[in-house]
Amino acid sequence: MDAAVTGSPRVALFATCFNDTMFPRTPIATTQLLERLGVQVDFPEKQTCCGQMFTNTGYADEAMPLVRAFIDVFDSYEHVVAPSGSCTGSVREQHLMLARRTGDSGLVREVEAMTPRVHELSEYLVDVLGVTDVGSYFPHRVTYHPTCHSLRMLRVGDKPLQLLRAVGGITLVDLPEREECCGFGGTFAMKNADVSVAMGSDKARHIRETDAEVVVASDNSCLTHIGGILHRQRAGVRTFHLAEVLASTQEDPAWSSHE
């Protein structure tokens, strides 16, 4: 490990409703990884959706109870960690916009104090804990897709790649045109299905060009879209969330959990 983690930092895990209901392996892997690094992980059971689905589709009033709930649940924590660039981006960028819209100056101050403490997983590992080698082992040929919200909203840069490059046994290959959107975009995929599938097919083609066994990303929503197209193409490429790769060790390999 390139930096010793001393003491016992404590974080709240914001699992996100998408992961909690459809991909529970991801928040579990996040917890295993953080605890391996000496972090105490709390899971506040009253946590809910961040409200992104409402906000993105113009239902600002309906999103407000979720903004207030997020503060109520997580305000006592110094750091909140989420295995999702999309939901972290929603909290950091959309909650303040929604709070200002209400004209409630007290709520605005609460959101302003809360949002800087909410981190996407790679941000927390690199920027807060100061580690890039987290002791992982994943002996497979891997390519990485930077999701739009991680890349453009959170500006995580190459932090996920710094972490992946340090994984033991990994063969990390560049993804052509990697900054292009996969075409998911939440309700965009439902409202514009043909365009969404065309964009996803381009992404799948570039992934196949790498001869990778696995495509990794920080959002299961994007991986669902990409994985569905790859599956229909019988491409034989698996999808893994970044947290699952980083949690994987020789003693407890993530690969077996996908079989």
Side-chain angles (χ1 to χ4, degrees):
M1 195 171 297
D2 62 353
V5 180
T6 58
S8 181
R10 176 171 174 242
V11 304
L13 173 66
F14 173 37
T16 81
C17 60
F18 192 76
N19 285 326
D20 193 34
T21 55
M22 299 183 66
F23 298 95
R25 279 195 302 238
T26 297
I28 290 171
T30 303
T31 301
Q32 292 172 334
L33 168 64
L34 291 173
E35 289 183 344
R36 192 172 79 214
L37 296 172
V39 178
Q40 178 184 334
V41 181
D42 291 352
F43 178 76
E45 294 186 0
K46 292 186 178 179
Q47 63 182 276
T48 65
C49 170
C50 64
Q52 182 180 177
M53 290 289 285
F54 290 116
T55 310
N56 288 353
T57 47
Y59 292 93
D61 290 343
E62 286 77 3
M64 280 313 304
L66 301 174
V67 174
R68 296 179 190 277
F70 191 92
I71 293 173
D72 290 343
V73 169
F74 292 109
D75 192 44
S76 63
Y77 290 91
E78 182 179 4
H79 296 291
V80 179
V81 179
S84 167
S86 181
C87 299
T88 303
S90 174
V91 172
R92 291 230 298 257
E93 298 296 324
Q94 295 180 336
H95 280 199
L96 184 57
M97 174 192 70
L98 292 166
R100 285 172 173 162
R101 183 177 175 275
T102 67
D104 183 338
S105 58
L107 178 63
V108 170
R109 286 194 294 274
E110 287 183 284
V111 173
E112 286 177 334
M114 178 78 253
T115 51
R117 292 182 273 141
V118 183
H119 312 277
E120 181 271 336
L121 177 61
S122 72
E123 291 179 318
Y124 181 74
L125 294 171
V126 176
D127 293 343
V128 180
L129 286 188
V131 297
T132 50
D133 185 345
V134 295
S136 310
Y137 183 74
F138 193 76
H140 302 285
R141 186 176 176 87
V142 170
T143 195
Y144 170 71
H145 164 64
T147 67
C148 289
H149 281 183
S150 294
L151 191 69
R152 299 179 176 89
M153 186 177 283
L154 296 181
R155 302 184 187 281
V156 300
D158 70 343
K159 294 181 182 72
L161 286 171
Q162 291 180 45
L163 293 158
L164 287 171
R165 290 186 190 113
V167 172
I170 199 169
T171 301
L172 188 62
V173 289
D174 287 337
L175 176 62
E177 308 296 338
R178 68 183 182 190
E179 295 188 4
E180 287 188 359
C181 176
C182 70
F184 177 66
T187 54
F188 175 85
M190 292 180 276
K191 294 177 178 177
N192 305 276
D194 291 344
V195 177
S196 175
V197 170
M199 295 171 71
S201 297
D202 283 347
K203 180 65 66 175
R205 173 167 53 82
H206 291 312
I207 291 168
R208 294 199 313 272
E209 288 170 358
T210 68
D211 291 325
E213 298 171 84
V214 172
V215 56
V216 171
S218 300
D219 276 295
N220 277 319
S221 51
C222 301
L223 288 173
T224 300
H225 182 58
I226 295 169
I229 293 172
L230 288 169
H231 179 72
R232 285 193 292 275
Q233 294 176 344
R234 301 182 187 278
V237 183
R238 297 188 181 197
T239 57
F240 276 74
H241 191 282
L242 176 67
E244 294 179 77
V245 174
L246 298 180
S248 181
T249 62
Q250 284 184 288
E251 296 76 20
D252 188 13
W255 189 268
S256 60
S257 68
H258 278 238
E259 293 177 337

